[in-house]
């Protein structure tokens, strides 16, 4: 597993990429689904804040090393699957 610092950087980077794609679609796209795009951006922002909060939680720091690895693995898998859901939502919007 990468360090906690690297994990936070990757979370922020992936969320920024999704939000940037949403902005590009809003500015230059032909989609009329403006509310849905804003919804994706809002959900992505909430997911980022929630994931960073879980990474920084004191409970995760108190776990033994093996359980901590499993905790972060589960957290990163969940984050990745939700982010892929946002990307799939964007792909259905873009004509």
């Amino acid at each position: 597993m990468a360090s906690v610092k690297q994990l936070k950087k990757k979370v922020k980077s992936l969320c920024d990429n999704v939000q940037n794609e949403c902005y590009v679609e809003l500015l230059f796209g032909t989609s009329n689904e403006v509310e849905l795009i804003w919804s994706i951006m809002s959900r992505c922002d909430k997911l980022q804040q929630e994931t960073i909060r879980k990474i920084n939680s004191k409970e995760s720091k108190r776990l033994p090393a093996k359980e901590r690895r499993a905790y972060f693995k589960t957290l990163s898998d969940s984050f990745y699957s939700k982010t892929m859901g946002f990307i799939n939502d964007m792909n259905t919007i873009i004509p």
Side-chain angles (χ1 to χ4, degrees), residues 1-11 55 68-69 72-73 76:
M1 180 186 93
S3 69
V4 171
K5 183 178 180 180
Q6 291 295 325
L7 183 59
K8 286 193 266 186
K9 282 183 180 180
K10 289 182 181 186
V11 165
I55 291 171
R68 186 179 312 146
R69 271 187 242 116
F72 284 121
K73 174 76 172 142
S76 63

Side-chain angles (χ1 to χ4, degrees), residues 44-56:
C44 187
D45 187 47
K46 287 178 186 175
L47 176 65
Q48 177 183 354
Q49 292 174 3
E50 176 184 312
T51 305
I52 296 295
R53 184 180 48 77
K54 287 181 181 178
I55 291 171
N56 290 333

Side-chain angles (χ1 to χ4, degrees), residues 17-74:
N17 288 339
V18 170
Q19 290 180 336
N20 287 338
E21 287 297 321
C22 289
Y23 279 126
V24 168
E25 181 60 29
L26 284 173
L27 294 174
F28 304 110
T30 58
S31 175
N32 294 330
E33 301 290 337
V34 175
E35 290 180 17
L36 189 55
I37 294 172
W38 280 109
S39 169
I40 292 170
M41 292 172 62
S42 174
R43 289 185 293 152
C44 187
D45 187 47
K46 287 178 186 175
L47 176 65
Q48 177 183 354
Q49 292 174 3
E50 176 184 312
T51 305
I52 296 295
R53 184 180 48 77
K54 287 181 181 178
I55 291 171
N56 290 333
S57 73
K58 292 184 180 185
E59 290 81 29
S60 67
K61 295 175 183 173
R62 294 180 186 153
L63 295 172
K66 209 174 218 184
E67 290 178 24
R68 186 179 312 146
R69 271 187 242 116
Y71 173 80
F72 284 121
K73 174 76 172 142
T74 304

